[in-house]
Amino acid sequence: MTGEKGGRRTRLRGIPFFLLVATAYTILFFHDRNQALLALHRGGTILVRILPVLVVVILFTGLVNYLLRPGQIVKHLGKGSGLRGWLIALMAGVISHGPMYVWYPMIQDLRSQGTRDGLIVAFLYARAIKVPFLPLMIDYFGLGFTLVLSCYILLGSFIQGWIMELLSEPGRRAG
């Protein structure tokens, strides 16, 4: 969906994407007015619901870009980051909050600055652990079950990230 044509990005985003969505809503409005209004209402409701998280992510992204230089990100999350990179990705995934797609712009930014693909996968998978829900989970399923499941999720995050690194670097062998 992305690519370069003559040095110019061909991504469908920003104003072209907005115009495409507005055109789709306009066509839907003339086809079925009630469905168009219902879709618009639902879209607005979702936007209002994710707006606080989106603002936090934008502020966090700005803070990361202000405080960290690309060299620092590569040092902590790039090639050669080792165990520290994995631990940062897993812990960041656990403490992150909100819908996953809200994090995509920041992850894209980190990836463009040299963050390893495996660490991104580990981050996304580790988001399955929801810190605010842990007390409720312990109450329903017990402390032992919650600890074992959380460890399996973290282990699964690491394994999927590791597999991603193997797939993204075909010349590299496991071991």
Side-chain angles (χ1 to χ4, degrees):
M1 193 143 173
T2 62
E4 299 272 338
K5 277 190 174 177
R8 187 171 176 214
R9 292 183 169 222
T10 58
R11 295 180 181 184
L12 182 58
R13 56 193 268 183
I15 292 176
F17 183 72
F18 173 76
L19 292 175
L20 180 69
V21 171
T23 302
Y25 271 105
T26 303
I27 292 170
L28 182 62
F29 183 79
F30 286 114
H31 179 70
D32 188 344
R33 177 178 288 189
N34 290 333
Q35 287 296 319
L37 292 175
L38 181 64
L40 200 57
H41 176 70
R42 286 184 180 169
T45 302
I46 290 172
L47 180 63
V48 167
R49 195 169 58 204
I50 68 168
L51 199 56
V53 176
L54 194 59
V55 168
V56 169
V57 170
I58 289 170
L59 290 175
F60 189 70
T61 302
L63 192 65
V64 166
N65 284 334
Y66 179 75
L67 295 176
L68 296 176
R69 303 288 174 249
Q72 292 173 306
I73 293 173
V74 169
K75 177 183 172 188
H76 295 294
L77 299 172
K79 285 187 173 186
S81 60
L83 180 63
R84 180 178 35 182
W86 287 105
L87 291 176
I88 291 171
L90 292 173
M91 295 317 305
V94 170
I95 63 172
S96 65
H97 193 68
M100 189 180 296
Y101 54 87
V102 174
W103 290 88
Y104 290 164
M106 187 180 109
I107 293 170
Q108 178 194 25
D109 192 35
L110 288 174
R111 188 173 186 235
S112 70
Q113 294 182 27
T115 299
R116 294 162 37 197
D117 288 346
L119 298 182
I120 292 171
V121 170
F123 168 81
L124 293 173
Y125 194 88
R127 289 180 40 82
I129 298 174
K130 303 290 183 202
V131 174
F133 297 145
L134 287 178
L136 186 64
M137 191 172 178
I138 291 170
D139 187 49
Y140 277 109
F141 302 109
L143 180 61
F145 179 87
T146 302
L147 284 174
V148 170
L149 179 62
S150 296
C151 287
Y152 276 137
I153 291 172
L154 290 175
L155 182 63
S157 302
F158 173 76
I159 290 171
Q160 289 197 13
W162 182 67
I163 290 171
M164 182 64 187
E165 290 206 346
L166 289 177
L167 294 175
S168 63
E169 295 180 35
R172 186 175 165 190
R173 286 272 182 208

